[in-house]
Amino acid sequence: MMTFQDLLLTLQKFWSDQGCLILQPYDAEVGAGTNSPATALRSVGPEPWNVAYVQPSRRPADGRYTRNPLRVQHYYQYQVIMKPSPENIVDLYLESLRALGIPLEQHDIRLVEDDWESAALGASGVGWEVWLDGTEITQFTYFQQMGGIPCESVSAEITYGTERLATLLQGKNSIWELEYAHGITYAETEKQAEMENCIYNFEEADTTMLFTLFDLYEKESKRILASRQLVAPAFDLALKCSHSFNLLDARGVVGVAERAVYINRIRTLARACCLGYQKQREELGHPLLVGK
Amino acid sequence: MPELLFEIGTEELPATFVAPTMAQLETGFREKFTAAKLWGAESGTVKVTGTPRRLVIYATGLANRQLDETLQLKGPSAAVAFDPQGSPTGAALGFARKNGISVDALSIVDGYVQATVQRIGRTTLEIAGELLPQIVRELTFPKAMRWGAGKLRFARPIRWLVALLDEEIISCAVEHVAAGRSTRGHRFLSPGEADVPNPLAYSEIMREKFVIIEPSERREMIVSQAKALAAEIGGTVQIAEELLDENVFLTEYPTAVLGAFSSEFLSLPQPVLVTAMRKHQRYFPLVDSSGTLMPNFVAIRNGGGEYLDTVRAGFENVLSARFNDARFFHELDSQTTLTDKINGTKTIVFQEKLGTVYQKSLRLPLILENGGLLDVLEPPEIIALLRAGLLCKADLASEMVKELPALQGIVGEEYARREGEPEEVALAISGHYKPKGAGDPLPGTEAGRRLAIADRVDTLVGYAGIGVAPTGTSDPYALRRAAAGLVALLATSDSLPSPRSLFEAAWSAYSDQAIKQTATHQDAFASYMLLLTQRLDAALEEKSVRYDVREAVLSTPMHSIQETQARALAFGGLVGGNEAKEAQAASTRISNILRFAQKEGIVVPCQAPNPALFDDAAEQALLDRYSAAESAFAAEMARREYPAALKTLAAIRPAVDAFFEAVMVMGEDVDRRDNRLSLLGCLRELFQQFADFDRIVAGESGNSTLHE
């Protein structure tokens, strides 16, 4: 049986063989692998960039107190970025499924239109959800815009839902039953924390504190970007705003129209960082551009 | 005669893009190849087919080449081209060289040099290589993208091209993809490449490679298989056209799969189950002979009949997971009533500056009552409507709607019914969100329509009160849609209140809640009316009412949307007729002189004229005519007899003409002058109750694109 660990290792090996750097997970609370600077910032500008990494991701509002067999507020995305997108990128992706032991011709695989947009990142892309027998296992996106900046060189982003894939491969109905490795289940590594986080996210998180934190992080991000062009920490602070907002959202204290205002504030920060990063790379003379 | 095949191989196109793109390809081919004289609809055929991964033009009856042509080309005048001795000048030499003939071959016709040139027709192979990429580049999509390092925008990346004229490859390229004869089969059933020897062979080759290129054939496969599977278990498959289309263009080789889910899920609200099946999974639901939902579905696989059990198990598992999710929400929701859930809306912000959804639901009964929306209703209807007003936003606090926002209102309706609320109340809760957009039906019940009006008025007045209005393409709060909905709702009945009284009721409701209105009452009302007028204008345009008629009617005071719309429609049918022309002539004459007076700085007094100050019998005659017309007109307007009302106005014209012929309006005597102007001012007011006739463009057929 392919354990959860085997699945991650297989993907690491596969994409390494395709010429990707295997990066380590980013150490900030993010809702998706896209929010890591290895994607969000690096997809800006003309330089090539081929990476893959596991990204632990948090979406507080998605928690279900461990009662839903497939939905959790904390999970592990597998993220691939290839920039510029190679000709055979869809074939490469499908090969990776074969590498995971999925005989494609025995299943129903469909690429269903799903354009992706992250209002908070000012990012948008065009692509698909990949369905394996009706289950979405991957989001496949050609980035068109990041931080409001049109992508000069288009990245293909592949985001695997690792737990979802593993349940299909192991024939389990619940992620809690997944074998992580060596006889230890996913429930053992994750379930208690998941439960506690759901209680925190939905019931306990101090909303006054979170509103305050949002304001503080926002102010700090703007300050250090303006004063010293510190793109990396300014972006980290934008991510912290984003996570504070996600918690407020889970607490149900943000209305539809108010949401738009908060998301706009996060986008303003993210855009400033993307523009700062673009400038930085220009000043460095785009060192990764070959044949320059 | 040669045949042509052009296949654009792509990554998976969005399902809704394929059919419109096929139509564009056909038009592009017809136009370009006809214009190039290489193909004609009389002797040739063209057929465009498509799947998610390919768009294909197959044409027959092409020419091998363009015909040779003999052209007579006119050059410089003989006087310039030849010197007096008859020797060619530089002008003659240059002209001959440019056309590739010797100077001796030039002739002189009517004093000008002429070259007779044989133009050899180019081959179809060559020209098609230019035209096909042009056709591709001219395609448009609802949304296009770039990929890799390229600049071309297309629906999805182009990965291969096949371009053949009989056995020969048409040499061409789009971006960096060069055309050849190598195509690709079904992604999973026949992943390799295959050569296409000639256009005719293509369709069968594709079939062998598990690609059914003809959409109608795939449609037929899906429908017949789905029906057969449903019949096996005594059910009927519910095939929504849109979902069928989507499945046709999600597959290259469709195979229907019958699946089941646990019947315990049938206790969930049906709209929840159907939404999960249709919208989320693209499955077709099944009903039994009594129309009740069965615990089964038909899903369409993009593949053949092998390993169906694996696929079915996958389809069933994912649906169960979704239903489990829904059940989880439903159980949570069942712990409280809708009345309890209203409290949950206290933490849902309607708009940052306009308070919570809870506050909104407290305003709705006030708008219903003070805005006049309860008038003409019977007490039981009033009770139901107020109850629905109180409950209509409660489901926003339900877990189900938080999860499936598209089901707002529908979930509220279900929950209300389960809790024993009257049917009227349940239907009004779901109805009040309608119409959701252009073309969406209005609420099916009276209570639903009235609640829908109150909800939209509340939103529009709220935003107007904080100075938020749509600008250009930016309308983040969908206020135009709300206004269009309000216009459509108010246009349904004559007994509905005026936009003004609705505005006042909402404005007071906000004030009573101490919600800070930053715009002045006057500005807010103007901005609210502007939105409504623009939407009514758009609605009338859709009903093909001329732009000048719309302008003329919409610049009159709007007491009732229904009345204004009826008048515009009626006037639209009458404009251009004799009576409209007579009325317009009278009105224009009056307006011109009043405008002139205004320019001279004369304030036209707004009072009834004094007959004692009349000089001429024509003045008294006009006043008499006016007095008679006024009461007749008022009665006709009240009865909505627009042709009669217009006739009444038209009948004033002779008196107006006689008046202008008999008197000098702008005479020296100020009192008498002002008296005449007062008379004309009264007349103008009368005309303007029907329309601002000055805006009617004479002889205009009403091309609406000239407007705005």
Side-chain angles (χ1 to χ4, degrees), chain A residues 49-65:
Chain A
W49 186 246
N50 299 304
V51 296
Y53 53 91
V54 176
Q55 182 59 53
S57 306
R58 285 172 188 253
R59 293 186 189 179
D62 282 358
R64 294 292 178 264
Y65 292 90

Side-chain angles (χ1 to χ4, degrees), chain B residues 230-252:
Chain B
E232 278 176 21
I233 54 162
T236 307
V237 60
Q238 290 194 310
I239 299 183
E241 201 55 29
E242 219 174 297
L243 186 61
L244 175 58
D245 274 341
E246 192 175 1
N247 274 291
V248 165
F249 291 111
L250 275 173
T251 51
E252 294 209 294

Side-chain angles (χ1 to χ4, degrees), chain B residues 168-374:
Chain B
E168 280 191 86
I169 292 172
I170 300 168
S171 166
C172 64
V174 174
E175 192 87 351
H176 57 277
V177 182
R181 66 168 74 249
S182 172
T183 185
R184 303 185 198 174
H186 189 280
R187 249 197 212 288
F188 309 110
L189 298 176
S190 182
E193 300 189 350
D195 281 354
V196 183
N198 61 63
L200 187 60
Y202 174 77
S203 163
E204 276 315 305
I205 289 175
M206 293 326 294
R207 192 177 295 276
E208 284 162 25
K209 298 189 73 63
F210 297 97
V211 177
I212 306 296
I213 58 165
E214 175 59 66
S216 60
E217 190 180 341
R218 295 198 302 278
R219 175 181 301 262
E220 174 50 34
M221 289 166 78
I222 291 172
V223 172
S224 61
Q225 291 177 28
K227 282 185 175 166
L229 289 174
E232 278 176 21
I233 54 162
T236 307
V237 60
Q238 290 194 310
I239 299 183
E241 201 55 29
E242 219 174 297
L243 186 61
L244 175 58
D245 274 341
E246 192 175 1
N247 274 291
V248 165
F249 291 111
L250 275 173
T251 51
E252 294 209 294
Y253 194 91
T255 298
V257 181
L258 179 68
F261 57 86
S262 163
S263 55
E264 66 191 79
F265 290 121
L266 288 173
S267 63
L268 287 168
Q270 280 212 5
V272 170
L273 300 175
V274 170
T275 300
M277 283 191 270
R278 281 197 181 139
K279 290 229 166 96
H280 296 144
Q281 294 304 132
R282 276 77 160 178
Y283 300 169
F284 298 101
L286 263 62
V287 292
D288 65 18
S289 52
S290 66
T292 310
L293 204 62
M294 294 171 76
N296 298 92
F297 61 86
V298 171
I300 308 303
R301 167 198 198 183
N302 181 26
E306 281 101 45
Y307 307 104
L308 279 190
D309 289 341
T310 312
V311 175
R312 177 183 302 111
F315 286 165
E316 290 178 346
N317 283 340
V318 64
L319 191 63
S320 283
R322 285 204 183 273
F323 285 171
N324 258 320
D325 226 12
R327 184 165 58 184
F328 171 72
F329 301 129
H330 193 247
E331 277 168 14
L332 279 183
D333 286 345
S334 304
Q335 293 165 11
T336 57
T337 63
L338 273 181
T339 316
D340 302 328
K341 288 187 182 73
I342 300 171
N343 285 320
T345 64
K346 284 179 180 169
T347 54
I348 303 176
V349 175
F350 161 54
Q351 206 280 343
E352 202 178 9
K353 293 177 181 159
L354 298 175
T356 62
V357 170
Y358 178 73
Q359 285 174 292
K360 186 184 185 50
S361 63
L362 293 183
R363 285 191 301 273
L364 293 180
L366 293 175
I367 297 171
L368 288 169
E369 191 167 352
N370 302 333
L373 285 164
L374 301 182

